[in-house]
Amino acid sequence: MEIFSVIIAVSLTMFLFSSLSSMLVELINRKLNTRSKQLNDMLHTFYTEELKPYTTSDEPADAADKFVRHVDKKDSKERITTNEFMRSLAKTDTGYQIFESIENNAQYFIEDIAYRFEEIGERYSEYYRLHARKVNILVSVFLAFAMNINLITIVHSLQYNNDASKALVEKAATLVHAQPNTPSSTALQSVLTEINSLNIPYGWPKQPFINNDAMPLDIGAYALAFRDSIAMGIDQFGLGWLIWIVTTLITGMLIGLGSPFWFDVLKRLFVFNRFANVMFSATKNSTNDVPSEPVVQPWDAFKQGIQARRVEQKLLEKIQGDSSDNTQSKSD
């Protein structure tokens, strides 16, 4: 059972470092506005491939840009549901012209448009997932080398430190049913604090970065101290540079599998250890009692958008009519 505890402890360690890597990737994506750019690119493609053939020949050159700005007014959305898109489409000139041209048979056409929107959305989502997975692996490998996270060091430490292994197993028991947090700088700091509090072995030996005679901004002194710290860390590893590089690379790739993967591994390990039935019974009972929300069909969402556009037009016409009447009465 001691080996089994070490396996759980190592899995939790991988989960924590995977969470750290995923949060870094998420923060990078938010800083670069990656999802919003991907959504705009998808909307441009959808307009060009699916909607442009049904527009008039004299449409302006920036029609696609106007369409995208109408759907994503603040250029801040990261995703859009099919029904949200259909409502927005109905309020555009393109959507309204299509509806006016084939009003009696519009339902079949609109449902086909909704299907094609979901199809192209899934295509882009799959591309984004593959890209995000590659980025996550690269960040995880970088994290492993930068923080000296090595699987052999972790396993060796946990084998001979029963207290640390026990603390990790207890922590895993409380985490397997917890919901993942939204990545943020605060969550990032909390994960680092959690890793340090559990005494997980990682990092480089600390060195004095400058001596008493060095200048405060002596880059050379910092570089030498960093080099000595790495050399000391490899010496403490004890198996040589080549094995350290290979095992650290493997560790980074394991971290790159992602926190959902390691979370699932932890759950399976607890199921194997006959703990999960007790821990998840309350969760399963509570989720079954949640009532399902009524499903809105794309055609209904489009009709709501058409009705809203007509109301807006009537309101604008009324306001403009009242304004012209007031102007005429003043002139009389």
Side-chain angles (χ1 to χ4, degrees), residues 52-59 97:
K52 189 175 180 179
Y54 306 105
T55 59
T56 57
S57 58
D58 58 344
E59 70 168 359
Q97 289 171 4

Side-chain angles (χ1 to χ4, degrees), residues 61-114:
D62 61 344
D65 294 330
K66 288 182 178 178
F67 176 80
V68 172
R69 285 197 298 270
H70 183 88
V71 175
D72 187 7
K73 291 183 173 62
K74 296 183 179 180
D75 195 26
S76 59
K77 288 185 179 178
E78 295 184 350
R79 63 184 300 272
I80 182 172
T81 65
T82 303
N83 288 338
E84 287 175 343
F85 174 77
M86 298 311 293
R87 292 190 189 98
S88 298
L89 174 61
K91 295 180 180 180
T92 62
D93 293 336
T94 302
Y96 193 72
Q97 289 171 4
I98 291 173
F99 178 78
E100 288 286 297
S101 301
I102 52 172
E103 184 170 352
N104 293 333
N105 299 312
Q107 179 175 356
Y108 306 105
F109 181 81
I110 294 304
E111 287 178 349
D112 185 60
I113 286 288

